[in-house]
Amino acid sequence: SQQVAARVTLSDGSTQTVQASFTVGPESNDGYQLMVSTSSNRSGATGLQGQSLAGDVYIFLTPETNVNSVAFSIDGSAKSNESAAPYDLMGGSTSTARPLDTSGLADGQHEVVGQVTLTDGSTATVRATFTSNN
């Protein structure tokens, strides 16, 4: 957790200091994370959060353990509902994910959300933002 402080000058000339704490990084739940690869076999993947992407990319949830299904969306628009591993944003097979063509998105920031239903019936929400730069 990080701390930030700001000194605010009020209209009467007096000052006040306000403080807040925050955590840097993607929101994740139960250790789940959204990953991105430029290969359809998901090799060389890195965390999706904060990435600048162009062309075809492959976004997926990790780890696959204790997951029953994942409902994926981009910017609030549903993309897929995966009920078998691996859990890919655009679907696919065990060996080959289907790509998200980022050139179909407006340049700028986008948010991917994975609503994860776990095998025990509980849920986790995982989200990450990336920049489309085509």
Side-chain angles (χ1 to χ4, degrees):
S1 177
Q2 302 291 318
Q3 295 283 327
V4 65
R7 182 168 28 219
V8 179
T9 303
L10 304 174
S11 58
D12 67 4
S14 65
T15 61
Q16 286 186 334
T17 300
V18 293
Q19 296 182 359
S21 62
F22 63 96
T23 301
V24 177
E27 177 184 324
S28 77
N29 196 325
D30 297 321
Y32 294 99
Q33 183 178 7
L34 294 169
M35 303 293 286
V36 63
S37 174
T38 55
S39 300
S40 64
N41 67 1
R42 305 167 196 89
S43 63
T46 59
L48 177 61
Q49 178 65 32
Q51 295 291 322
S52 180
L53 306 175
D56 286 351
V57 296
Y58 305 86
I59 296 171
F60 59 97
L61 179 83
T62 188
E64 299 172 354
T65 53
N66 300 318
V67 175
N68 188 50
S69 65
V70 183
F72 288 103
S73 64
I74 298 178
D75 301 329
S77 176
K79 285 296 173 192
S80 67
N81 193 343
E82 293 284 284
S83 58
Y87 301 98
D88 296 302
L89 171 67
M90 301 304 290
S93 67
T94 303
S95 61
T96 307
R98 285 200 289 271
L100 169 67
D101 181 358
T102 63
S103 66
L105 299 172
D107 280 354
Q109 196 169 73
H110 299 278
E111 181 181 53
V112 176
V113 176
Q115 294 284 10
V116 183
T117 301
L118 302 172
T119 53
D120 67 4
S122 65
T123 60
T125 301
V126 182
R127 57 182 80 235
T129 56
F130 70 92
T131 301
S132 178
N133 189 15
N134 287 281

